[in-house]
Each structure stands twice: as structure tokens, then as C-alpha cells.
Amino acid sequence: MERYLVEEFYKADHDAFERHANAGSELELLFPLSSVGFTQSSVDIVQDYSMVSYCCETIAPFISVISSGYENKDRIHLYFRITCKSTDTSSLREELAYFSEVISQELTVYDDIDVISFWATVAEYEESFDKRVFHFPDLINGYWANLVNQGHSEIASEYHKSERKYFNKLYRKYPEQSYLFWRNPLSIDFADPIYFSTENWIIPPGTDLNGALALYSGIGHTTRLEQAEKVHYNGSLVLVSDTAALYFRQLDQLFHSIKCTALLLAQRHSPTPELHLNAIITHDPGFQGHLFKDNNVPGKKAHSFTRTVKIDTEQISYHLSELGDIVVAGYKDFKYVFFSESPLSFEQLKELNKFLYPAYAKTQTILEASVTEECKWPELDDEKFEELCYDILYCDPRFDSNTIQKMGNSRSRDGGRDIVIKTRTVPGRPPELYVFQCKYLSTRTSLSAAKLPNAANVIMQYGAQGYGVFTTTVIDATLYDMLAGFVKNGHLHNYHCWSRYELERFLNRHQMIKRKYFTP
């Protein structure tokens, strides 16, 4: 497969490119998001997303797309990758040559006027987002995520005389952005409305929830969501289903989303908007400060009318995915999707079990399944253990199973990588590369940091944002300390450790995988 960095395409052998493309070979085209990770300016990042989206949509008629997504060429350079086959090689080559020169400004065929024209066309393209259907909606979600959260404030303060007028005009056109949400771009694969923020999603009635999860989070259509019990425990809300228990720490963001729905979105999408409108309370607290009030006009006073939403928390329902990483809250006829990272530990689950009454049977099921029996580790060898770890990661919904790679056999020269995989892509958050090592050891020993001497080199060499280990024994404190130090020093975003105890509890609750590797 031939790979081409678009900004360097002007240096490529164009005849060789046409031969490969006309022969039906797969091509990988990488478009640079040069500002991401290099600038504090959200405006520059937004412009990158817009430019790359324009380029990708322009070549879409000339290719057959196999896959697409974000890719780190190294630890800090982010690209948008399209894997494809050419359907019109001449047009594709011509566009790539044009993009390469105007992006890199290594001008041979084109000149400065062409560069100015290119960026003017990109600016016009931005103005047409509401009218377009996109082949690559992830780029538009990246555009809105940066513009809504930081870009508008930067534009208003640096490029406009009146921030008030800028935001008044903006919120008349996109009222949901006043709550830091943006509407999903229309795509060739999904036309139902969704409202994204960097914290959660709002799903209007009639929108295909499973389809939205499949397209935007990597979850398959067969994802099972189980009803969860609500428990107020240790001052927090705990959600419990038959297979998972977690702290729900996004309650404030849920109320914020419900308020956005009631005040703005219900009239647009709900078949019964009166269900939401009757909860809106408007009152005037007097002559107080107001965001868009003009305090500089003598003799002019502005009332500050406040609109609040009364939320009946007893009407909120919750559903969890099997591993508890997805929470779907339902209120009236809207749904709210959250991605959770706060599961209860085994000890916390035992403590919770002492206090649970309505949800006792469900938590008891989880505990009993987790500690039913030990695994017969001597039945495995190095290769079988790596295959078991592969299956566990393949079924883990936190990761994109389409990106998993097992790096050869257990004794092969894998550069310290047994399995590599990327996290799912979610709007506004590019996927992260994880490197996992599998250590099949005697249960009489432990896995320490000394037994992974090249961990730091592996992380740096392959630009991993996450790291993980699987082992058939216990994990030494030195390894936990080492990985925590990597996170603290910025070398890693996160890590996952699976000792024999985590593996046995997981396998006891997932008998299908366990039966594949162990005798009854």
C-alpha cells in the first residue's frame, strides 16, 4: 500500500502514483492538521479542520473510500488518513498536486494568487456547512468542537469591536451553541439530528441511537444497553446493572443538557413540546447584571429575566452498556449519552453491596460471577495467552476492534509490542494509540517494572498515548509506580493493568471467552 503525505505530494513521482492508482492498488492519503498540538490558538486549529475537510470532500468523487480516521505520524503530528482506491486517477492526481503546493507553499506550477484563491475558497466552504452532506463528518465535528469551546471567544475578543453583538448574532443562528452544543453535520451515512458537546450527546426523539453509536463511537449495532438502578451512595449517584456498577459524576452536565433541551431543542424536535415547556419558569430578579446588557447608556436600565427549568429527577431513567463505559440517560422523550470512566472497584462494590436493597440482587450477580472460580493458567502457553488477551481487547468497547493488531507470534521480534489498538473515535476527541504487552508468568512470581525495561522506549518510539499489560500473576507496586510516573510526566495519557485477578473476574463474567481457552 502506497502512503502519501499530501503536503509533500509535490515531491512524489506522479507517474508512479498513476500506475499504482490505475492498477487498483490501495492508497493512503494523509492530510495534515498542522496546528493541533503546536498552537494555543483555537482559530488556527479550526482553520486546519476546515481546510482538511475541504480537501477531503473535494477528492471524494474521485475515490472509493475503504476507511478513514485520525493518525499520529509521530507523537505530536496529527493527520487525517483516508484509505481508498482511485476511481478517477487523473482528477485525483491533479487535486492532490494542487493541494500539496498551496498547503506547503512550495510553488512550482501554481503561484501566490492561487494560494490566496485557495484560502478564499476554504472560507466560502465554511459558510456552506449547513447546506452540505459530508463524506467525512469527523472533521466537521472537530471543527465545531474547537470553535464552540474556545474559537468563538477568541474571534469575538480579537477580531470584533463588540463581543455582545458577535454572540447575539451567533446565538440567533445557532442557539444550541450558547450551551456549548453543536448539531452533527449531515453525512452520507447518517441524517438524523444529534447534538454534540465535548462532555456528552443529546439524542432527539426519532434519532437512531444505535446507528449514532455505531457511526460516531465505534459501537456496533448489537450493543446491549441494560436498565440500571439508581443508588445514592457516599454522597454520589451510583448506577447498577446486571453486569456493571459505576459512579455517575456528570449529573450537573445532564441537568445542563436537559435545560438546553427544554429551552431550545424541544420545540424543534419533540412531537409533544408541551411536555418540556410546562417545566420552564421565567422570573425577573430585578435590575441585575446581564451578559448582553448595555451598561454604558445613561438612563437606560435592562431587566434580567431568568429562565430556569424544573427537572423531576425521579423521571430520569438510566441504561448502561455491558462494561459500564456508556451511560444513556432518558428524560421525557430525549436521550443523553455519556462516556464513563468511573467504575467501582471490587472493594467498593463489596461495600456498596452492604447498603443496597432494591438493587441487591443485581450487584450480587456481578460479585458471584466475578469470584466463582479460578482459571487453570497452566493449560495455556505464551502464544495462547496472547490470543486470550487479543480476544479481551477485541471485545472491549473502549477500543476500536477494527484497529487491533497482534504483532507476530509470542517469541517474534515485536519491538516490545504484543498487541496495538486504538480507542474509539468520538466527536472532538481523536483516537489514542495503546500498546499492550502480554506476560505469561508463573503464579509464584510477580510482574515488576524490572521485567519491562523497555516500556519507556516503546511508548516514545511508537508515539503511544496509552500503555497496558496483561499477566497471569500479580503486579508489583514498582510497575504501578512506573506507569503512574509516565502519566504524571506527560509521557502517557492513561494505562490499563490486567493481573490474574482482573482477568479471572472478567472471564468468570464472560464465559464465552473463558470456554474457548480453558477446560471445564
Side-chain angles (χ1 to χ4, degrees), residues 416-428:
R417 303 167 298 160
D418 293 324
I419 302 171
V420 297
I421 193 171
K422 292 182 179 180
T423 57
R424 293 194 316 268
T425 300
V426 296

Side-chain angles (χ1 to χ4, degrees), residues 352-385:
L352 174 63
N353 189 54
K354 297 178 182 179
F355 296 95
L356 288 175
Y357 295 100
Y360 174 79
K362 294 181 182 293
T363 56
Q364 191 67 21
T365 299
I366 299 173
L367 288 169
E368 291 176 355
S370 299
V371 298
T372 299
E373 58 190 54
E374 296 181 350
C375 294
K376 302 174 184 177
W377 297 112
E379 293 183 355
L380 304 184
D381 55 26
D382 288 345
E383 185 63 24
K384 284 291 185 184
F385 182 61

Side-chain angles (χ1 to χ4, degrees), residues 73-265:
K73 183 172 174 288
D74 48 45
R75 186 168 178 82
I76 55 177
H77 292 92
L78 184 66
Y79 285 79
F80 187 76
R81 172 194 48 78
I82 300 176
T83 304
C84 62
K85 291 184 178 182
S86 173
T87 58
D88 183 345
T89 300
S90 177
S91 298
L92 177 61
R93 182 197 60 77
E94 182 179 348
E95 293 293 351
L96 292 177
Y98 171 58
F99 295 151
S100 180
E101 289 198 22
V102 296
I103 292 172
S104 67
Q105 297 198 34
E106 295 289 341
L107 302 174
T108 303
V109 177
Y110 301 95
D111 56 26
D112 291 338
I113 300 300
D114 294 305
V115 175
I116 295 171
S117 176
F118 171 77
W119 287 108
T121 303
V122 171
E124 292 176 3
Y125 171 75
E126 286 187 46
E127 297 299 320
S128 68
F129 281 0
D130 293 342
K131 303 173 185 178
R132 288 183 176 270
V133 177
F134 295 93
H135 294 80
F136 307 101
D138 283 349
L139 290 166
I140 305 303
N141 283 320
Y143 170 93
W144 284 121
N146 286 279
L147 184 61
V148 169
N149 285 279
Q150 295 291 338
H152 282 314
S153 296
E154 186 177 331
I155 293 169
S157 63
E158 295 188 14
Y159 303 103
H160 287 264
K161 293 182 179 180
S162 171
E163 292 186 40
R164 176 179 61 84
K165 290 181 179 179
Y166 175 85
F167 281 106
N168 276 337
K169 182 178 179 180
L170 171 70
Y171 294 152
R172 279 195 295 271
K173 185 175 182 180
Y174 302 113
E176 65 276 3
Q177 293 191 15
S178 64
Y179 288 85
L180 301 183
F181 283 92
W182 70 90
R183 181 166 173 163
N184 63 311
L186 294 178
S187 78
I188 58 173
D189 299 313
F190 199 85
D192 293 351
I194 310 172
Y195 292 86
F196 293 123
S197 75
T198 55
E199 302 294 331
N200 68 297
W201 307 353
I202 299 177
I203 307 293
T207 292
D208 178 7
L209 174 60
N210 286 334
L213 290 171
L215 180 62
Y216 290 110
S217 70
I219 298 294
H221 285 276
T222 57
T223 299
R224 187 174 67 179
L225 295 171
E226 300 178 341
Q227 186 170 357
E229 300 289 344
K230 298 175 286 186
V231 180
H232 291 280
Y233 173 66
N234 282 349
S236 299
L237 178 63
V238 176
L239 304 178
V240 184
S241 71
D242 281 327
T243 59
L246 57 88
Y247 286 109
F248 184 64
R249 305 190 188 279
Q250 298 109 318
L251 202 57
D252 288 343
Q253 180 61 24
L254 173 58
F255 293 160
H256 176 81
S257 303
I258 291 174
K259 183 176 180 180
C260 176
T261 296
L263 297 177
L264 301 176
L265 304 182

Side-chain angles (χ1 to χ4, degrees), residues 221-351:
H221 285 276
T222 57
T223 299
R224 187 174 67 179
L225 295 171
E226 300 178 341
Q227 186 170 357
E229 300 289 344
K230 298 175 286 186
V231 180
H232 291 280
Y233 173 66
N234 282 349
S236 299
L237 178 63
V238 176
L239 304 178
V240 184
S241 71
D242 281 327
T243 59
L246 57 88
Y247 286 109
F248 184 64
R249 305 190 188 279
Q250 298 109 318
L251 202 57
D252 288 343
Q253 180 61 24
L254 173 58
F255 293 160
H256 176 81
S257 303
I258 291 174
K259 183 176 180 180
C260 176
T261 296
L263 297 177
L264 301 176
L265 304 182
Q267 296 182 65
R268 212 183 283 177
H269 298 290
S270 176
T272 54
E274 64 275 5
L275 290 177
H276 304 267
L277 296 177
N278 60 16
I280 297 175
I281 303 170
T282 302
H283 64 281
D284 176 11
F287 299 103
Q288 298 181 1
H290 190 266
L291 179 61
F292 302 129
K293 168 187 162 185
D294 189 348
N295 291 312
N296 298 320
V297 179
K300 185 176 180 180
K301 296 181 179 180
H303 287 273
S304 178
F305 289 98
T306 301
R307 304 181 80 198
T308 60
V309 176
K310 182 180 180 180
I311 300 172
D312 184 355
T313 57
E314 294 302 313
Q315 290 189 28
I316 302 175
S317 63
Y318 296 91
H319 288 76
L320 305 182
S321 61
E322 290 181 86
L323 292 182
D325 59 324
I326 296 176
V327 180
V328 179
Y331 187 66
K332 298 185 178 178
D333 50 359
F334 280 71
K335 293 182 174 64
Y336 306 87
V337 178
F338 294 84
F339 297 91
S340 173
E341 297 180 355
S342 303
L344 269 68
S345 68
F346 189 70
E347 289 302 318
Q348 289 172 326
L349 194 59
K350 289 197 299 184
E351 289 298 318

